[in-house]
Amino acid sequence: MSAGERRLGILAGGGKLPREIAQSAARQGLPVAIVAIDSEADPDLTGPDVTRVNWGSIGGMIRALRQARVTDLVIVGHVRRPELGALKPDLGFFRNLPRLLKIVASGGDDGVLRRVVRFFEQEGFRVIGPGEAAPELVVRESAAGAARASDEDRADIQTGLALIRALGPYDIGQGVVIAGGRIEAIEGVEGTDRMIARAGEARRAAHDAPRGGILVKRSKPEQDLRVDMPAIGPATVEGAHAAGLSGIAAEAEHVLIAERAVTLARADAAGIFVEGVRDEAPASATPRRFKAHRVVRDLRPLGGVKPRRHSVRDAVKGLATIEALARFGVGHTAVVVRNHVLAVEADEGAEATVRRAEGLRQWASLTRRRRGVVVLRRAEALTEVLVTIVARAGYAGIAIGDDAAAASGDALAAAEREGLFIVTSPSASSEGTG
């Protein structure tokens, strides 16, 4: 297809990236049509090239793209997991309902987004990444601003890259905050900015708050960069500065800089480095995607409440997640809902981790049945207070990665009263320490 026959469509979520990509395409002489998702896309994203649609207007999305004769489609901008009650379905929604249910049933973000790509490809569009549409937005290897990372910083950077790489198969984490080898925060579904804010709050509350520290941002192994390319921007720099961090390390060629000039100007003013880096580990060190339904785990139920099949899969995935983090000295708690890891503990404790996950959402569920598992590396973390928090959050049960002998009898009795299942997997403890 010649350049003159190409037409770019942008399915726009929130943030400045959709408009930046549109402006880049215009400079290349490429016709652009933007389909902006209501309640997600920025309110100022307007103009004759913009069509606004509701999440449920699947037919409207496709119709707008076809009317603009779109050939290439970029899906970009941050979105929240939609509330079913806020959807305004059109005829196209109901026509595609079986396909849409398969998309959200896949659980984690990676699975959902891969199916989103497949959906639009089946409609005849070529889905391309934002980096292909606007190459000037991509982080390149080297310092992007005036400040530079120190030798100490570089050791932390490689540790952060390794941690995210280890978490990649479990579909969690594009960011981590690390200082002096200590992992302070691991990104869950709350996103990078909220993770940085959480790390900053913990630092301010600590009497021995560390100085410096780095945000490491990288893609997950096997992540589809066409629809889920990590990005940093002015808010990232502001959050890093407020948290007392000294820099931001972003994986070269796999991360975008939104509002590049503004982002780097603020970083320079704050004395924060922004640097594109590469993972020094060989490709063979990258683990393969984890598939819970293919993993056999020795789970031993305690008490009379039995886990359902989906809960067993969540427990298996959560146990594998905390095992993957054992060598980093973190990940003592994880929360998994419908195959989606919502949160992983750095060092805030099990109760705080579960409370944090309670405010996060997985992709919409069509049932009110209790779902989700809280996974603990050690039985000592199981307390009556934690059981109460787990039950209040609506999770189905708790999985423990070692023998239950150290578990509190009162906590086990409380779980029985609350209708929570408890399962243990002693093999997980020995595997995680190897």
Side-chain angles (χ1 to χ4, degrees):
M1 180 182 297
S2 68
E5 296 174 326
R6 291 181 60 214
R7 291 177 177 270
L8 183 68
I10 300 174
L11 184 58
K16 303 299 183 184
L17 280 171
R19 179 58 79 187
E20 286 193 86
I21 291 171
Q23 291 168 345
S24 176
R27 289 193 294 269
Q28 300 171 49
L30 194 61
V32 179
I34 300 174
V35 177
I37 301 174
D38 270 337
S39 77
E40 302 291 351
D42 289 4
D44 62 356
L45 186 60
T46 58
D49 60 343
V50 178
T51 302
R52 300 192 78 89
V53 299
N54 179 267
W55 263 114
S57 298
I58 303 301
M61 291 180 193
I62 296 170
R63 183 167 56 253
L65 294 169
R66 286 181 174 159
Q67 286 175 346
R69 293 182 293 159
V70 163
T71 58
D72 299 351
L73 178 63
V74 174
I75 304 172
V76 69
H78 55 76
V79 296
R80 293 159 292 187
R81 287 153 180 78
E83 296 283 355
L84 294 179
L87 297 181
K88 298 178 182 178
D90 62 6
L91 184 58
F93 178 92
F94 291 108
R95 283 177 174 170
N96 290 286
L97 188 57
R99 296 163 69 191
L100 299 176
L101 290 175
K102 286 183 180 179
I103 288 174
V104 298
S106 57
D109 280 347
D110 285 355
V112 168
L113 293 172
R114 281 194 300 274
R115 285 171 171 80
V116 168
V117 169
R118 190 175 309 148
F119 175 86
F120 283 103
E121 287 179 337
Q122 290 170 345
E123 295 297 325
F125 306 107
R126 185 174 79 98
V127 179
I128 64 173
E132 180 179 346
E136 69 274 18
L137 301 180
V138 178
V139 174
R140 307 301 178 187
E141 187 174 10
S142 71
R148 301 289 191 275
S150 69
D151 291 341
E152 286 185 1
D153 293 332
R154 297 195 187 284
D156 280 347
I157 289 169
Q158 290 304 315
T159 299
L161 292 171
L163 185 145
I164 300 171
R165 180 180 357 105
L167 278 179
Y170 311 101
D171 194 7
I172 179 174
Q174 296 180 349
V176 60
V177 173
I178 179 170
R182 178 172 172 265
I183 307 298
E184 297 186 10
I186 300 169
E187 181 179 343
V189 300
E190 79 271 38
T192 304
D193 291 344
R194 288 177 62 184
M195 176 199 65
I196 297 171
R198 172 162 51 89
E201 290 170 2
R203 284 170 158 238
R204 289 187 288 274
H207 296 296
D208 57 345
R211 300 179 62 183
I214 303 164
L215 165 67
V216 180
K217 185 81 172 174
R218 69 157 287 172
S219 62
K220 296 172 284 187
E222 299 187 51
Q223 184 171 337
D224 193 332
L225 298 180
R226 292 177 296 173
V227 286
D228 193 20
M229 195 166 187
I232 61 173
T236 318
V237 171
E238 291 170 2
H241 181 53
L245 304 184
S246 59
I248 299 170
E251 184 185 17
E253 312 299 333
H254 289 78
V255 178
L256 302 170
I257 302 183
E259 300 181 80
R260 187 183 188 95
V262 175
T263 298
L264 297 181
R266 293 185 183 177
D268 289 348
I272 290 176
F273 70 80
V274 177
E275 191 162 327
V277 298
R278 294 191 184 276
D279 193 336
E280 296 175 355
S284 59
T286 300
R288 298 183 64 82
R289 184 174 301 280
F290 181 81
K291 298 183 183 299
H293 64 281
R294 296 182 181 176
V295 176
V296 177
R297 172 79 70 178
D298 179 22
L299 294 179
R300 303 176 186 175
L302 301 176
V305 183
K306 305 299 181 184
R308 296 177 179 269
R309 181 186 301 177
H310 59 76
S311 293
V312 171
R313 291 184 179 180
D314 285 348
V316 168
K317 186 168 189 176
L319 289 164
T321 300
I322 62 175
E323 287 166 30
L325 290 174
R327 68 186 177 94
F328 297 95
V330 293
H332 301 286
T333 308
V335 180
V336 187
V337 180
R338 297 178 69 240
N339 196 38
H340 196 129
V341 183
L342 298 187
V344 175
E345 178 191 357
D347 64 355
E348 66 264 46
E351 294 174 10
T353 302
V354 177
R355 286 194 180 100
R356 170 162 59 89
E358 186 179 357
L360 305 174
R361 291 188 61 249
Q362 74 283 7
W363 290 93
S365 174
L366 300 178
T367 176
R368 294 184 179 275
R369 181 184 299 156
R370 273 186 171 181
R371 286 184 178 270
V373 178
V374 173
V375 180
L376 308 174
R377 178 171 291 157
R378 295 285 182 257
E380 292 92 334
L382 182 66
T383 64
E384 288 186 82
V385 172
L386 181 64
V387 167
T388 300
I389 295 170
V390 172
R392 183 189 64 197
Y395 299 131
I398 298 170
I400 302 172
D402 65 359
D403 196 287
S408 159
D410 290 339
L412 294 174
E416 189 88 13
R417 290 194 302 271
E418 294 284 1
L420 300 177
F421 70 77
I422 303 287
V423 294
T424 66
S425 178
S427 61
S429 177
S430 59
E431 291 172 16
T433 56

PDB file of all heavy atoms in Angstrom, residues 81-108:
ATOM      1  N   ARG A  81     -11.038   0.396  33.779  1.00  0.00           N
ATOM      2  CA  ARG A  81     -11.881  -0.754  33.486  1.00  0.00           C
ATOM      3  C   ARG A  81     -13.334  -0.317  33.562  1.00  0.00           C
ATOM      4  O   ARG A  81     -13.770   0.203  34.578  1.00  0.00           O
ATOM      5  CB  ARG A  81     -11.571  -1.877  34.482  1.00  0.00           C
ATOM      6  CG  ARG A  81     -10.223  -2.509  34.165  1.00  0.00           C
ATOM      7  CD  ARG A  81      -9.552  -3.120  35.375  1.00  0.00           C
ATOM      8  NE  ARG A  81      -8.275  -3.701  34.991  1.00  0.00           N
ATOM      9  CZ  ARG A  81      -7.169  -2.986  34.788  1.00  0.00           C
ATOM     10  NH1 ARG A  81      -7.173  -1.688  34.980  1.00  0.00           N
ATOM     11  NH2 ARG A  81      -6.051  -3.573  34.431  1.00  0.00           N
ATOM     12  N   PRO A  82     -14.101  -0.508  32.483  1.00  0.00           N
ATOM     13  CA  PRO A  82     -15.438   0.087  32.412  1.00  0.00           C
ATOM     14  C   PRO A  82     -16.426  -0.543  33.381  1.00  0.00           C
ATOM     15  O   PRO A  82     -16.427  -1.756  33.595  1.00  0.00           O
ATOM     16  CB  PRO A  82     -15.854  -0.173  30.965  1.00  0.00           C
ATOM     17  CG  PRO A  82     -15.054  -1.367  30.550  1.00  0.00           C
ATOM     18  CD  PRO A  82     -13.740  -1.259  31.271  1.00  0.00           C
ATOM     19  N   GLU A  83     -17.271   0.298  33.965  1.00  0.00           N
ATOM     20  CA  GLU A  83     -18.382  -0.183  34.763  1.00  0.00           C
ATOM     21  C   GLU A  83     -19.495  -0.618  33.803  1.00  0.00           C
ATOM     22  O   GLU A  83     -19.852   0.117  32.875  1.00  0.00           O
ATOM     23  CB  GLU A  83     -18.898   0.932  35.686  1.00  0.00           C
ATOM     24  CG  GLU A  83     -17.902   1.407  36.727  1.00  0.00           C
ATOM     25  CD  GLU A  83     -17.767   0.442  37.882  1.00  0.00           C
ATOM     26  OE1 GLU A  83     -18.538  -0.550  37.908  1.00  0.00           O
ATOM     27  OE2 GLU A  83     -16.899   0.649  38.739  1.00  0.00           O
ATOM     28  N   LEU A  84     -20.044  -1.796  34.040  1.00  0.00           N
ATOM     29  CA  LEU A  84     -21.072  -2.301  33.138  1.00  0.00           C
ATOM     30  C   LEU A  84     -22.276  -1.364  33.088  1.00  0.00           C
ATOM     31  O   LEU A  84     -22.901  -1.195  32.042  1.00  0.00           O
ATOM     32  CB  LEU A  84     -21.502  -3.708  33.575  1.00  0.00           C
ATOM     33  CG  LEU A  84     -20.434  -4.803  33.458  1.00  0.00           C
ATOM     34  CD1 LEU A  84     -20.993  -6.131  33.940  1.00  0.00           C
ATOM     35  CD2 LEU A  84     -19.919  -4.929  32.049  1.00  0.00           C
ATOM     36  N   GLY A  85     -22.596  -0.729  34.232  1.00  0.00           N
ATOM     37  CA  GLY A  85     -23.752   0.153  34.280  1.00  0.00           C
ATOM     38  C   GLY A  85     -23.592   1.418  33.467  1.00  0.00           C
ATOM     39  O   GLY A  85     -24.575   2.087  33.140  1.00  0.00           O
ATOM     40  N   ALA A  86     -22.330   1.775  33.145  1.00  0.00           N
ATOM     41  CA  ALA A  86     -22.082   3.006  32.392  1.00  0.00           C
ATOM     42  C   ALA A  86     -22.096   2.777  30.885  1.00  0.00           C
ATOM     43  O   ALA A  86     -22.021   3.730  30.111  1.00  0.00           O
ATOM     44  CB  ALA A  86     -20.736   3.599  32.805  1.00  0.00           C
ATOM     45  N   LEU A  87     -22.197   1.524  30.456  1.00  0.00           N
ATOM     46  CA  LEU A  87     -22.201   1.230  29.034  1.00  0.00           C
ATOM     47  C   LEU A  87     -23.530   1.633  28.396  1.00  0.00           C
ATOM     48  O   LEU A  87     -24.595   1.479  28.997  1.00  0.00           O
ATOM     49  CB  LEU A  87     -21.968  -0.262  28.795  1.00  0.00           C
ATOM     50  CG  LEU A  87     -20.627  -0.844  29.260  1.00  0.00           C
ATOM     51  CD1 LEU A  87     -20.567  -2.326  28.927  1.00  0.00           C
ATOM     52  CD2 LEU A  87     -19.459  -0.118  28.635  1.00  0.00           C
ATOM     53  N   LYS A  88     -23.451   2.140  27.190  1.00  0.00           N
ATOM     54  CA  LYS A  88     -24.633   2.457  26.392  1.00  0.00           C
ATOM     55  C   LYS A  88     -24.530   1.659  25.097  1.00  0.00           C
ATOM     56  O   LYS A  88     -24.080   2.161  24.071  1.00  0.00           O
ATOM     57  CB  LYS A  88     -24.715   3.956  26.118  1.00  0.00           C
ATOM     58  CG  LYS A  88     -24.858   4.799  27.386  1.00  0.00           C
ATOM     59  CD  LYS A  88     -24.875   6.281  27.064  1.00  0.00           C
ATOM     60  CE  LYS A  88     -24.968   7.107  28.343  1.00  0.00           C
ATOM     61  NZ  LYS A  88     -24.932   8.567  28.066  1.00  0.00           N
ATOM     62  N   PRO A  89     -24.930   0.396  25.165  1.00  0.00           N
ATOM     63  CA  PRO A  89     -24.694  -0.493  24.024  1.00  0.00           C
ATOM     64  C   PRO A  89     -25.480  -0.058  22.784  1.00  0.00           C
ATOM     65  O   PRO A  89     -26.618   0.406  22.885  1.00  0.00           O
ATOM     66  CB  PRO A  89     -25.194  -1.851  24.529  1.00  0.00           C
ATOM     67  CG  PRO A  89     -25.251  -1.732  26.014  1.00  0.00           C
ATOM     68  CD  PRO A  89     -25.556  -0.304  26.292  1.00  0.00           C
ATOM     69  N   ASP A  90     -24.860  -0.203  21.620  1.00  0.00           N
ATOM     70  CA  ASP A  90     -25.569  -0.013  20.363  1.00  0.00           C
ATOM     71  C   ASP A  90     -25.736  -1.373  19.694  1.00  0.00           C
ATOM     72  O   ASP A  90     -25.372  -2.411  20.254  1.00  0.00           O
ATOM     73  CB  ASP A  90     -24.842   1.000  19.463  1.00  0.00           C
ATOM     74  CG  ASP A  90     -23.433   0.535  19.076  1.00  0.00           C
ATOM     75  OD1 ASP A  90     -23.058  -0.612  19.407  1.00  0.00           O
ATOM     76  OD2 ASP A  90     -22.722   1.329  18.444  1.00  0.00           O
ATOM     77  N   LEU A  91     -26.298  -1.363  18.498  1.00  0.00           N
ATOM     78  CA  LEU A  91     -26.558  -2.632  17.821  1.00  0.00           C
ATOM     79  C   LEU A  91     -25.267  -3.402  17.576  1.00  0.00           C
ATOM     80  O   LEU A  91     -25.232  -4.636  17.697  1.00  0.00           O
ATOM     81  CB  LEU A  91     -27.275  -2.358  16.495  1.00  0.00           C
ATOM     82  CG  LEU A  91     -27.709  -3.602  15.694  1.00  0.00           C
ATOM     83  CD1 LEU A  91     -28.638  -4.474  16.532  1.00  0.00           C
ATOM     84  CD2 LEU A  91     -28.398  -3.164  14.403  1.00  0.00           C
ATOM     85  N   GLY A  92     -24.187  -2.670  17.260  1.00  0.00           N
ATOM     86  CA  GLY A  92     -22.907  -3.327  17.036  1.00  0.00           C
ATOM     87  C   GLY A  92     -22.404  -4.036  18.274  1.00  0.00           C
ATOM     88  O   GLY A  92     -21.728  -5.067  18.181  1.00  0.00           O
ATOM     89  N   PHE A  93     -22.718  -3.503  19.438  1.00  0.00           N
ATOM     90  CA  PHE A  93     -22.325  -4.146  20.690  1.00  0.00           C
ATOM     91  C   PHE A  93     -22.977  -5.517  20.797  1.00  0.00           C
ATOM     92  O   PHE A  93     -22.313  -6.523  21.100  1.00  0.00           O
ATOM     93  CB  PHE A  93     -22.720  -3.264  21.868  1.00  0.00           C
ATOM     94  CG  PHE A  93     -22.405  -3.838  23.222  1.00  0.00           C
ATOM     95  CD1 PHE A  93     -21.198  -3.553  23.848  1.00  0.00           C
ATOM     96  CD2 PHE A  93     -23.305  -4.670  23.872  1.00  0.00           C
ATOM     97  CE1 PHE A  93     -20.903  -4.082  25.100  1.00  0.00           C
ATOM     98  CE2 PHE A  93     -23.013  -5.205  25.120  1.00  0.00           C
ATOM     99  CZ  PHE A  93     -21.813  -4.914  25.730  1.00  0.00           C
ATOM    100  N   PHE A  94     -24.288  -5.562  20.561  1.00  0.00           N
ATOM    101  CA  PHE A  94     -24.997  -6.833  20.718  1.00  0.00           C
ATOM    102  C   PHE A  94     -24.616  -7.823  19.619  1.00  0.00           C
ATOM    103  O   PHE A  94     -24.546  -9.031  19.861  1.00  0.00           O
ATOM    104  CB  PHE A  94     -26.503  -6.592  20.736  1.00  0.00           C
ATOM    105  CG  PHE A  94     -26.954  -5.861  21.978  1.00  0.00           C
ATOM    106  CD1 PHE A  94     -27.367  -4.543  21.918  1.00  0.00           C
ATOM    107  CD2 PHE A  94     -26.947  -6.501  23.203  1.00  0.00           C
ATOM    108  CE1 PHE A  94     -27.764  -3.871  23.064  1.00  0.00           C
ATOM    109  CE2 PHE A  94     -27.342  -5.837  24.362  1.00  0.00           C
ATOM    110  CZ  PHE A  94     -27.753  -4.513  24.292  1.00  0.00           C
ATOM    111  N   ARG A  95     -24.339  -7.318  18.411  1.00  0.00           N
ATOM    112  CA  ARG A  95     -23.910  -8.208  17.342  1.00  0.00           C
ATOM    113  C   ARG A  95     -22.570  -8.873  17.669  1.00  0.00           C
ATOM    114  O   ARG A  95     -22.320 -10.010  17.271  1.00  0.00           O
ATOM    115  CB  ARG A  95     -23.790  -7.423  16.037  1.00  0.00           C
ATOM    116  CG  ARG A  95     -25.116  -7.128  15.355  1.00  0.00           C
ATOM    117  CD  ARG A  95     -24.893  -6.289  14.110  1.00  0.00           C
ATOM    118  NE  ARG A  95     -26.139  -6.108  13.368  1.00  0.00           N
ATOM    119  CZ  ARG A  95     -26.285  -5.264  12.354  1.00  0.00           C
ATOM    120  NH1 ARG A  95     -25.247  -4.520  11.967  1.00  0.00           N
ATOM    121  NH2 ARG A  95     -27.436  -5.161  11.730  1.00  0.00           N
ATOM    122  N   ASN A  96     -21.739  -8.156  18.384  1.00  0.00           N
ATOM    123  CA  ASN A  96     -20.401  -8.653  18.707  1.00  0.00           C
ATOM    124  C   ASN A  96     -20.291  -9.176  20.135  1.00  0.00           C
ATOM    125  O   ASN A  96     -19.176  -9.449  20.598  1.00  0.00           O
ATOM    126  CB  ASN A  96     -19.365  -7.548  18.498  1.00  0.00           C
ATOM    127  CG  ASN A  96     -19.163  -7.205  17.045  1.00  0.00           C
ATOM    128  OD1 ASN A  96     -18.545  -7.952  16.296  1.00  0.00           O
ATOM    129  ND2 ASN A  96     -19.689  -6.055  16.625  1.00  0.00           N
ATOM    130  N   LEU A  97     -21.419  -9.332  20.811  1.00  0.00           N
ATOM    131  CA  LEU A  97     -21.376  -9.688  22.230  1.00  0.00           C
ATOM    132  C   LEU A  97     -20.587 -10.957  22.522  1.00  0.00           C
ATOM    133  O   LEU A  97     -19.773 -10.971  23.462  1.00  0.00           O
ATOM    134  CB  LEU A  97     -22.798  -9.806  22.785  1.00  0.00           C
ATOM    135  CG  LEU A  97     -22.907  -9.992  24.301  1.00  0.00           C
ATOM    136  CD1 LEU A  97     -22.212  -8.848  25.045  1.00  0.00           C
ATOM    137  CD2 LEU A  97     -24.374 -10.093  24.730  1.00  0.00           C
ATOM    138  N   PRO A  98     -20.753 -12.048  21.769  1.00  0.00           N
ATOM    139  CA  PRO A  98     -19.944 -13.245  22.077  1.00  0.00           C
ATOM    140  C   PRO A  98     -18.443 -12.968  21.993  1.00  0.00           C
ATOM    141  O   PRO A  98     -17.676 -13.450  22.834  1.00  0.00           O
ATOM    142  CB  PRO A  98     -20.393 -14.239  20.995  1.00  0.00           C
ATOM    143  CG  PRO A  98     -21.759 -13.809  20.612  1.00  0.00           C
ATOM    144  CD  PRO A  98     -21.720 -12.312  20.683  1.00  0.00           C
ATOM    145  N   ARG A  99     -18.013 -12.187  21.008  1.00  0.00           N
ATOM    146  CA  ARG A  99     -16.590 -11.858  20.878  1.00  0.00           C
ATOM    147  C   ARG A  99     -16.137 -10.963  22.027  1.00  0.00           C
ATOM    148  O   ARG A  99     -15.027 -11.112  22.555  1.00  0.00           O
ATOM    149  CB  ARG A  99     -16.335 -11.160  19.539  1.00  0.00           C
ATOM    150  CG  ARG A  99     -16.614 -12.044  18.332  1.00  0.00           C
ATOM    151  CD  ARG A  99     -16.763 -11.219  17.073  1.00  0.00           C
ATOM    152  NE  ARG A  99     -15.492 -10.619  16.662  1.00  0.00           N
ATOM    153  CZ  ARG A  99     -15.402  -9.689  15.723  1.00  0.00           C
ATOM    154  NH1 ARG A  99     -16.499  -9.240  15.113  1.00  0.00           N
ATOM    155  NH2 ARG A  99     -14.219  -9.200  15.387  1.00  0.00           N
ATOM    156  N   LEU A 100     -16.999 -10.035  22.436  1.00  0.00           N
ATOM    157  CA  LEU A 100     -16.636  -9.129  23.527  1.00  0.00           C
ATOM    158  C   LEU A 100     -16.514  -9.879  24.848  1.00  0.00           C
ATOM    159  O   LEU A 100     -15.630  -9.588  25.664  1.00  0.00           O
ATOM    160  CB  LEU A 100     -17.673  -8.012  23.652  1.00  0.00           C
ATOM    161  CG  LEU A 100     -17.831  -7.116  22.423  1.00  0.00           C
ATOM    162  CD1 LEU A 100     -18.969  -6.114  22.633  1.00  0.00           C
ATOM    163  CD2 LEU A 100     -16.525  -6.367  22.130  1.00  0.00           C
ATOM    164  N   LEU A 101     -17.391 -10.841  25.073  1.00  0.00           N
ATOM    165  CA  LEU A 101     -17.316 -11.635  26.304  1.00  0.00           C
ATOM    166  C   LEU A 101     -16.027 -12.437  26.349  1.00  0.00           C
ATOM    167  O   LEU A 101     -15.415 -12.597  27.408  1.00  0.00           O
ATOM    168  CB  LEU A 101     -18.533 -12.555  26.416  1.00  0.00           C
ATOM    169  CG  LEU A 101     -19.872 -11.854  26.685  1.00  0.00           C
ATOM    170  CD1 LEU A 101     -21.006 -12.864  26.660  1.00  0.00           C
ATOM    171  CD2 LEU A 101     -19.843 -11.109  28.018  1.00  0.00           C
ATOM    172  N   LYS A 102     -15.577 -12.935  25.201  1.00  0.00           N
ATOM    173  CA  LYS A 102     -14.314 -13.662  25.164  1.00  0.00           C
ATOM    174  C   LYS A 102     -13.142 -12.730  25.482  1.00  0.00           C
ATOM    175  O   LYS A 102     -12.158 -13.147  26.101  1.00  0.00           O
ATOM    176  CB  LYS A 102     -14.111 -14.294  23.784  1.00  0.00           C
ATOM    177  CG  LYS A 102     -14.990 -15.505  23.531  1.00  0.00           C
ATOM    178  CD  LYS A 102     -14.686 -16.116  22.166  1.00  0.00           C
ATOM    179  CE  LYS A 102     -15.557 -17.335  21.918  1.00  0.00           C
ATOM    180  NZ  LYS A 102     -15.302 -17.926  20.581  1.00  0.00           N
ATOM    181  N   ILE A 103     -13.257 -11.470  25.061  1.00  0.00           N
ATOM    182  CA  ILE A 103     -12.175 -10.512  25.336  1.00  0.00           C
ATOM    183  C   ILE A 103     -12.004 -10.306  26.831  1.00  0.00           C
ATOM    184  O   ILE A 103     -10.909 -10.442  27.372  1.00  0.00           O
ATOM    185  CB  ILE A 103     -12.456  -9.167  24.632  1.00  0.00           C
ATOM    186  CG1 ILE A 103     -12.273  -9.305  23.120  1.00  0.00           C
ATOM    187  CG2 ILE A 103     -11.525  -8.075  25.173  1.00  0.00           C
ATOM    188  CD1 ILE A 103     -12.667  -8.074  22.335  1.00  0.00           C
ATOM    189  N   VAL A 104     -13.093  -9.990  27.538  1.00  0.00           N
ATOM    190  CA  VAL A 104     -12.969  -9.683  28.968  1.00  0.00           C
ATOM    191  C   VAL A 104     -12.769 -10.933  29.797  1.00  0.00           C
ATOM    192  O   VAL A 104     -12.234 -10.875  30.903  1.00  0.00           O
ATOM    193  CB  VAL A 104     -14.197  -8.890  29.485  1.00  0.00           C
ATOM    194  CG1 VAL A 104     -14.307  -7.571  28.773  1.00  0.00           C
ATOM    195  CG2 VAL A 104     -15.492  -9.686  29.330  1.00  0.00           C
ATOM    196  N   ALA A 105     -13.161 -12.106  29.270  1.00  0.00           N
ATOM    197  CA  ALA A 105     -13.004 -13.353  30.028  1.00  0.00           C
ATOM    198  C   ALA A 105     -11.566 -13.803  30.114  1.00  0.00           C
ATOM    199  O   ALA A 105     -11.242 -14.701  30.879  1.00  0.00           O
ATOM    200  CB  ALA A 105     -13.852 -14.458  29.409  1.00  0.00           C
ATOM    201  N   SER A 106     -10.669 -13.166  29.347  1.00  0.00           N
ATOM    202  CA  SER A 106      -9.275 -13.615  29.321  1.00  0.00           C
ATOM    203  C   SER A 106      -8.502 -13.218  30.563  1.00  0.00           C
ATOM    204  O   SER A 106      -7.385 -13.655  30.763  1.00  0.00           O
ATOM    205  CB  SER A 106      -8.573 -13.073  28.078  1.00  0.00           C
ATOM    206  OG  SER A 106      -8.640 -11.666  28.035  1.00  0.00           O
ATOM    207  N   GLY A 107      -9.096 -12.354  31.416  1.00  0.00           N
ATOM    208  CA  GLY A 107      -8.469 -12.064  32.701  1.00  0.00           C
ATOM    209  C   GLY A 107      -7.513 -10.903  32.675  1.00  0.00           C
ATOM    210  O   GLY A 107      -7.901  -9.756  32.725  1.00  0.00           O
ATOM    211  N   GLY A 108      -6.207 -11.173  32.630  1.00  0.00           N
ATOM    212  CA  GLY A 108      -5.193 -10.137  32.742  1.00  0.00           C
ATOM    213  C   GLY A 108      -5.168  -9.185  31.562  1.00  0.00           C
ATOM    214  O   GLY A 108      -5.728  -9.449  30.492  1.00  0.00           O
TER     215      GLY A 108
END
